[in-house]
């Protein structure tokens, strides 16, 4: 069974730091781009960051760029999000998500989507 | 940055058809994906690549995308379809995902 399990959430003070983890199982983790997506309480989904399968490319939403760092350890089937200098607006449930890709031979145009998602870990930024 | 616009809410009676729209500038030129999120649960993809269904998703779920509007259609709506629905695309760089604001579907 393909599974993603996040951990590391909790209460953190503004300006502090926190590291989220996501452990993958049931698939070839090293072959997939991975993502973090968050959801503030009562709000919609917001993409946070992605990392390529070999860690050569990382991308960030403008809202977290320069403060958060995504990384992975393929030997441990693990994805991480280092959150530095968090702010109140970073309070959210953080989901890790595998990115599935469909190429031109199978789909009408190359594209990718998030499947599956982990159950999420709640981060609360407050003094 | 690219913006996707969804109606905040829709309501439908059981057995009827629900249509949830996702508007964006020339959204028909890119692939749209749809996610269902039941209360207290993680999102699940129900349609990818405009109109394809993952295994395990009922045929009642379908999608279309043309011009400035993508649409998720749920036929013969059931109580279990009561959830939030989000559309998603990638921006022009292909490296930043964009989500719509979400639509709360209420089954009456």
């Amino acid at each position: 069974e393909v599974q993603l399990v996040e951990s590391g959430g909790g209460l953190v003070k503004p300006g502090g730091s926190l590291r989220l983890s996501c452990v993958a199982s049931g698939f070839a983790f090293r072959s997939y781009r991975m993502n973090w997506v968050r959801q503030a309480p009562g709000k919609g989904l917001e993409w946070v960051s992605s990392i390529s399968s070999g860690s050569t490319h990382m991308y960030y939403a403008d809202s977290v760029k320069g403060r958060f760092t995504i990384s992975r350890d393929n030997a441990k089937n693990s994805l991480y999000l280092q959150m530095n200098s968090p702010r109140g607006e970073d309070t959210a449930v953080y989901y890790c998500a595998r990115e599935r890709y469909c190429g031109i031979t199978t789909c009408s145009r190359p594209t990718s989507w998030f499947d599956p998602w982990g159950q999420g870990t709640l981060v609360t930024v407050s003094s | 940055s690219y913006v996707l616009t969804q109606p905040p809410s829709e309501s439908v009676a059981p057995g009827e058809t629900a249509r949830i729209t996702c508007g964006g500038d020339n959204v028909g030129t890119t692939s749209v994906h749809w996610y269902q999120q039941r209360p207290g649960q993680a999102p699940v993809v129900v349609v990818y690549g405009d109109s394809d269904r993952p295994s395990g998703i009922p045929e009642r779920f379908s999608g279309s995308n043309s011009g400035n509007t993508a649409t998720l259609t749920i036929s013969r709506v059931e109580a279990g379809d009561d959830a939030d629905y989000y559309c998603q695309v990638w921006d022009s760089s292909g490296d930043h995902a964009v989500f719509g604001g979400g639509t709360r579907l209420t089954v009456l």
Side-chain angles (χ1 to χ4, degrees):
Chain A
E1 178 191 5
V2 175
Q3 195 170 15
L4 299 169
V5 179
E6 302 95 334
S7 62
L11 178 64
V12 59
K13 289 182 168 56
S17 65
L18 196 66
R19 189 196 199 201
L20 307 183
S21 299
C22 170
V23 177
S25 60
F27 67 99
F29 177 76
R30 66 180 65 247
S31 298
Y32 289 86
R33 186 158 88 162
M34 296 296 295
N35 292 260
W36 288 99
V37 179
R38 68 184 181 183
Q39 185 170 36
K43 302 297 184 182
L45 302 172
E46 179 188 17
W47 174 81
V48 173
S49 181
S50 69
I51 185 168
S52 60
S53 58
S55 301
T56 53
H57 297 92
M58 287 79 82
Y59 302 99
Y60 300 91
D62 289 343
S63 57
V64 306
K65 198 169 186 178
R67 299 186 299 119
F68 292 6
T69 302
I70 192 171
S71 62
R72 65 191 294 164
D73 185 337
N74 287 343
K76 295 182 178 179
N77 288 345
S78 294
L79 175 71
Y80 306 102
L81 185 68
Q82 179 68 42
M83 304 174 61
N84 293 334
S85 302
R87 307 163 180 164
E89 54 264 39
D90 296 320
T91 294
V93 173
Y94 285 74
Y95 296 99
C96 68
R98 182 182 71 171
E99 192 174 318
R100 293 200 64 181
Y101 177 79
C102 185
I104 194 66
T105 57
T106 309
C107 289
S108 57
R109 48 194 164 203
T111 187
S112 60
W113 62 97
F114 303 122
D115 177 48
W117 301 55
Q119 87 289 349
T121 188
L122 175 62
V123 173
T124 302
V125 183
S126 175
S127 55
Chain B
S1 60
Y2 194 75
V3 176
L4 293 173
T5 301
Q6 297 182 238
S9 63
E10 295 284 356
S11 59
V12 62
E16 298 298 307
T17 297
R19 293 179 179 85
I20 299 172
T21 60
C22 174
D25 187 34
N26 288 318
V27 72
T29 62
T30 190
S31 293
V32 177
H33 317 297
W34 291 92
Y35 303 89
Q36 176 194 67
Q37 185 179 33
R38 295 190 172 109
Q41 297 186 20
V44 173
V45 61
V46 292
V47 167
Y48 67 90
D50 296 337
S51 57
D52 290 321
R53 266 188 326 276
S55 60
I57 299 301
E59 291 183 9
R60 302 184 297 104
F61 288 81
S62 62
S64 63
N65 184 19
S66 179
N68 294 318
T69 305
T71 304
L72 173 69
T73 301
I74 309 172
S75 305
R76 302 180 300 282
V77 166
E78 303 174 355
D81 300 331
D82 195 296
D84 294 324
Y85 292 85
Y86 296 89
C87 57
Q88 178 254 315
V89 300
W90 294 91
D91 72 357
S92 58
S93 72
D95 298 320
H96 290 69
V98 178
F99 287 95
T103 298
R104 181 75 176 89
L105 178 67
T106 299
V107 180
L108 300 171

